[in-house]
Amino acid sequence: MYALVDCNNFYASCERVFNPKLNGKPIVVLSNNDGCVIARSNEAKAFGIPMGAPAFEYKKQFEENNIHVFSSNYELYGDLSNRVMKILSTYSPVSEVYSIDECFLKFDGFDTYFDLQNLGTDMIIKMQKWVGIPISVGFARSKALAKVANKIAKKFPERTNGVYMIDTDEKRIKALKWTKIEDVWGVGRQHTKRLKAINVHNAYQFTQLPDDWIKHNMTIQGLRLKKDLLGIESIQMEEVQDKKNIACTRSFEKMYNDLDNLSERVSTFSSNLGEKLRKQHSHCNLISVFLLSNYFRKDLEQHRAFLTIKTDFPTNSTLELNRIAQKALKMIYKEGVYYKKAGVIVSGITPANNVQLKFFGGENPKHIALMNAIDKTNKKVGGKIKFGQNDLGRKWKMKQEKLSPCYTTRFSDIFTIKL
């Protein structure tokens, strides 16, 4: 038996944990640089605020309906998510963190000795008491069905008390007929169009399609999804794997058209990636840099560029990463264009302890010692050592006019109680 545990309106719930006055009030959370809506409470949804709504277009509607608007506080959300996942991991030895607010748990043999319905209720009570985040729990014989069960638990909290179990074929068929095809886990927009074109409008109709059609049009993954929805365990729990690439990208708080500011951003991104590579004891063999102009400014010249350069040898040295990234930046930069976003991506990742040695042109051994010294010092003093091209007065430059305090991760933002 599988369980999918999903935090209800997670970003909005995080804002409410330390500000109970927001309970029952409409809340929206904005993306980086306060660009568009990426999370909504149920109360905000009731006012018709769509996902992805540009904040500047809906500003009047926010004010008229007293909708509380927050900038993304990923530091707070990440810390609360970590607390949620640690608690959930105590319920089963097999868990898979699916996203910042979702986790699969596997309960092989548990139903013989435990009442899973009561176990789900215990999760909800404990999570509310220990963290303050409301959750919904769905149980089923497969991961895809657990997703459906969770959706039912969340949609009908009065009837389910936040926990729903699909444990009979009758419940499974009823749930699949209720689930729209566009809401099925793993069915994207293109597959939705293709399926609706042949009059498949719900999950049950999808399970009645021939295997050959599904395999031809949706590959083997679609066939596994069908079997999962039939209650045949086909989509397995995933193990944590090393990343194939690591990216560091940011939108700027304002547009830049000069190479100096862009160079500083790329340098900062390279520094961040070097630290991540060294932390996981990896090297990279490819470095990519991209630039994007502001798509919404039709009155300005548009330019999008992407360039990948192969390193001369596997490396995780910030000095080497930045040297190559700066070279790529100068090759794709176009004078006079106002850029809104840039990024650096490292790929071709290999273990740092398995390197082909060279007679000439290999990694400078002084870099290895220097990077180790910098990482150890930064770990002790909180990232105080930066490289020459980095801006010493900032880490990221983002527009966050409505940022809430980082109650759980910064001493300056610790929650205070007045008696």
Side-chain angles (χ1 to χ4, degrees):
M1 188 69 79
Y2 288 89
L4 175 67
V5 183
D6 186 13
C7 301
N8 302 340
N9 302 313
F10 181 59
Y11 288 180
S13 296
C14 288
E15 298 293 348
R16 286 170 169 162
V17 169
F18 296 97
N19 191 353
K21 292 180 180 180
L22 296 174
N23 290 333
K25 303 293 178 63
I27 296 173
V28 296
V29 179
L30 305 180
S31 62
N32 288 341
N33 294 308
D34 296 345
C36 59
V37 174
I38 58 170
R40 305 158 295 164
S41 66
N42 290 333
E43 296 81 4
K45 293 175 185 176
F47 283 113
I49 306 298
M51 186 66 82
F56 72 93
E57 289 185 5
Y58 283 79
K59 184 177 180 180
K60 184 177 180 182
Q61 194 168 340
F62 293 157
E63 294 172 351
E64 289 176 348
N65 297 297
N66 294 317
I67 296 175
H68 299 264
V69 182
F70 291 93
S71 302
S72 297
N73 191 341
Y74 294 119
E75 193 172 335
L76 174 66
Y77 307 156
D79 184 64
L80 292 183
S81 172
N82 186 49
R83 297 180 187 211
V84 168
M85 300 309 167
K86 282 185 177 179
I87 293 171
L88 293 178
S89 68
T90 64
Y91 284 90
S92 170
V94 183
S95 63
E96 176 193 333
V97 178
Y98 183 66
S99 68
I100 194 172
D101 61 347
E102 290 180 281
C103 182
F104 283 105
L105 301 172
K106 194 173 184 180
F107 294 97
D108 279 351
F110 277 57
D111 46 352
T112 305
Y113 305 99
F114 297 95
D115 185 325
L116 294 182
Q117 187 80 25
N118 289 339
L119 197 66
T121 301
D122 184 70
M123 290 183 201
I124 292 175
I125 294 172
K126 186 175 290 186
M127 202 65 67
Q128 188 67 55
K129 185 176 182 180
W130 289 11
V131 188
I133 298 293
I135 61 173
S136 299
V137 186
F139 289 99
R141 291 291 176 186
S142 65
K143 289 174 74 175
L145 279 178
K147 271 273 193 181
V148 175
N150 183 278
K151 193 172 184 65
I152 293 172
K154 186 175 290 188
K155 184 72 174 179
F156 306 103
E158 299 84 6
R159 281 188 265 173
T160 65
N161 292 318
V163 182
Y164 188 73
M165 182 181 299
I166 299 178
D167 52 359
T168 66
D169 211 41
E170 182 182 0
K171 282 185 176 181
R172 180 186 68 81
I173 293 172
K174 185 178 180 181
L176 294 183
K177 288 182 177 179
W178 172 80
T179 305
K180 296 178 182 178
I181 191 62
E182 58 265 32
D183 293 334
V184 175
W185 181 41
V187 177
R189 282 182 289 183
Q190 294 304 317
H191 285 320
T192 296
K193 291 179 183 178
R194 187 177 292 112
L195 290 166
K196 285 187 174 182
I198 58 171
N199 292 318
V200 173
H201 297 281
N202 61 45
Y204 178 75
Q205 292 172 331
F206 172 74
T207 61
Q208 303 307 299
L209 289 173
D211 287 356
D212 290 341
W213 188 96
I214 294 177
K215 189 174 181 180
H216 177 73
N217 291 277
M218 300 178 67
T219 73
I220 192 68
Q221 296 300 327
L223 194 57
R224 287 175 182 164
L225 175 60
K226 174 188 173 179
K227 291 181 179 179
D228 237 48
L229 292 172
L230 288 170
I232 304 168
E233 185 181 340
S234 300
I235 303 175
Q236 304 297 325
M237 298 287 275
E238 295 183 3
E239 296 181 358
V240 177
Q241 299 179 349
D242 290 336
K243 294 181 179 180
K244 295 181 179 179
N245 57 63
I246 308 175
C248 188
T249 69
R250 292 291 186 277
S251 295
F252 309 137
E253 86 285 7
K254 63 180 181 179
M255 295 183 291
Y256 292 128
N257 70 338
D258 61 295
L259 189 57
D260 287 344
N261 268 301
L262 294 172
S263 179
E264 187 279 326
R265 292 289 83 194
V266 166
S267 174
T268 300
F269 299 161
S270 300
S271 178
N272 179 271
L273 292 173
E275 186 178 342
K276 288 183 178 180
L277 283 171
R278 295 190 294 274
K279 189 175 182 179
Q280 67 176 40
H281 307 291
S282 297
H283 283 153
C284 74
N285 290 271
L286 298 167
I287 299 174
S288 305
V289 177
F290 72 82
L291 290 174
L292 298 177
S293 57
N294 191 342
Y295 176 80
F296 295 100
R297 290 292 303 271
K298 302 297 184 183
D299 56 319
L300 299 176
E301 182 181 357
Q302 299 295 314
H303 182 231
R304 298 187 174 201
F306 183 96
L307 180 64
T308 299
I309 297 179
K310 189 179 186 307
T311 63
D312 297 326
F313 45 82
T315 184
N316 58 21
S317 166
T318 296
L319 298 174
E320 188 65 21
L321 297 180
N322 187 47
R323 181 186 69 80
I324 297 173
Q326 295 295 336
K327 178 180 177 181
L329 172 65
K330 291 174 182 176
M331 292 173 70
I332 63 175
Y333 169 73
K334 189 175 181 181
E335 190 173 353
V337 174
Y338 284 83
Y339 293 101
K340 184 61 176 174
K341 187 174 183 178
V344 179
I345 305 168
V346 293
S347 52
I349 295 176
T350 55
N353 59 359
N354 186 13
V355 181
Q356 179 66 48
L357 298 178
K358 288 185 174 184
F359 280 110
F360 306 102
E363 180 84 272
N364 186 338
K366 292 182 179 180
H367 285 199
I368 299 174
L370 176 62
M371 294 302 119
N372 287 335
I374 290 174
D375 290 343
K376 287 181 180 179
T377 305
N378 278 336
K379 189 175 181 179
K380 290 181 180 179
V381 300
K384 297 296 183 182
I385 298 180
K386 296 188 178 184
F387 292 83
Q389 264 184 308
N390 299 163
D391 188 315
L392 300 178
R394 64 189 179 179
K395 189 171 182 179
W396 303 120
K397 290 185 64 180
M398 285 196 296
K399 179 183 177 184
Q400 294 178 308
E401 295 178 346
K402 302 179 183 298
L403 186 67
S404 55
C406 297
Y407 297 103
T408 62
T409 56
R410 296 183 187 177
F411 282 110
S412 59
D413 290 347
I414 286 179
F415 191 69
T416 57
I417 300 175
K418 295 181 180 180
L419 299 177

